[in-house]
Amino acid sequence: MNASIENARPTFDSRELRNAFGTFATGVTVITTSGIDKPVGLTANSFSSLSLDPPLVLWSLVKASPSLDVFENATHFGVSVLADHQEAVAMQFARPSEDKFKGIPTEKTECGVPLIEGAHSHFLCKREFAYDGGDHVIFVGRVLSLSVAEAPPLVFHRGAFTRISAAAA
């Protein structure tokens, strides 16, 4: 790579970058784990598949998150890919709260990780790695079990929730 390009300052600011990233439509997930005294969860759209063999997924969490310590120390985490009718669930887990799980039906896995009922799909994962990713920590998990429902997924695009039409699904 050309050294002058490599060392050049960006011609965009962080808002422009965020808006450009927002043009990539993503699924909406709630990432959960079992904390010391209570379950912990948060909304994330940074979830992605990583590998089929071994079966790995990744997601990232901003370093300023009050949940970071819990996820860094957790041995397992769950990913609930939300269904298109679960926008309120996404918003509840996106906001600070003493009890994000209040009123949300969950199913506990054998290792104590709660999964959101009614979700489009679930992945139960063993945390394999955590990597520094700038202002985020990137978590990699090995998929131990999964389930997929027929409900269409909730999608996030250009800063708003959207749905996939039946024709496209």
Side-chain angles (χ1 to χ4, degrees), residues 3-160:
S4 63
I5 293 173
E6 189 174 305
N7 297 322
R9 295 200 94 15
T11 58
F12 51 84
D13 64 22
S14 61
R15 173 45 60 189
E16 288 175 291
L17 181 60
R18 184 180 180 117
N19 290 344
F21 284 160
T23 65
F24 180 67
T26 64
V28 182
T29 67
V30 171
I31 311 290
T32 53
T33 195
S34 51
I36 293 172
D37 13 346
K38 62 182 180 180
V40 175
L42 50 89
T43 299
N45 67 343
S46 61
F47 171 75
S48 181
S49 60
L50 179 60
S51 170
L52 294 175
D53 187 17
L56 300 174
V57 298
L58 65 80
W59 66 282
S60 64
L61 180 59
V62 66
K63 289 179 179 176
S65 170
S67 303
L68 181 62
D69 186 54
V70 177
F71 281 102
E72 285 185 319
N73 291 299
T75 59
H76 294 80
F77 62 85
V79 180
S80 298
V81 179
L82 298 184
D84 69 351
H85 66 276
Q86 293 181 306
E87 187 174 322
V89 174
M91 292 308 298
Q92 184 164 324
F93 279 90
R95 295 185 182 113
S97 170
E98 280 298 310
D99 184 6
K100 292 185 179 188
F101 291 84
K102 186 176 184 180
I104 305 293
T106 61
E107 171 189 329
K108 264 198 177 166
T109 64
E110 62 275 2
C111 56
V113 173
L115 297 173
I116 307 299
E117 288 185 10
H120 169 69
S121 54
H122 295 111
F123 300 89
L124 175 62
C125 304
K126 178 183 180 293
R127 189 176 67 79
E128 294 282 311
F129 308 103
Y131 298 108
D132 184 289
D135 59 358
H136 282 66
V137 173
I138 302 164
F139 291 94
V140 175
R142 179 180 298 263
V143 178
L144 302 176
S145 65
L146 62 90
S147 65
V148 179
E150 292 300 316
L154 183 61
V155 176
F156 197 73
H157 181 249
R158 292 195 182 266

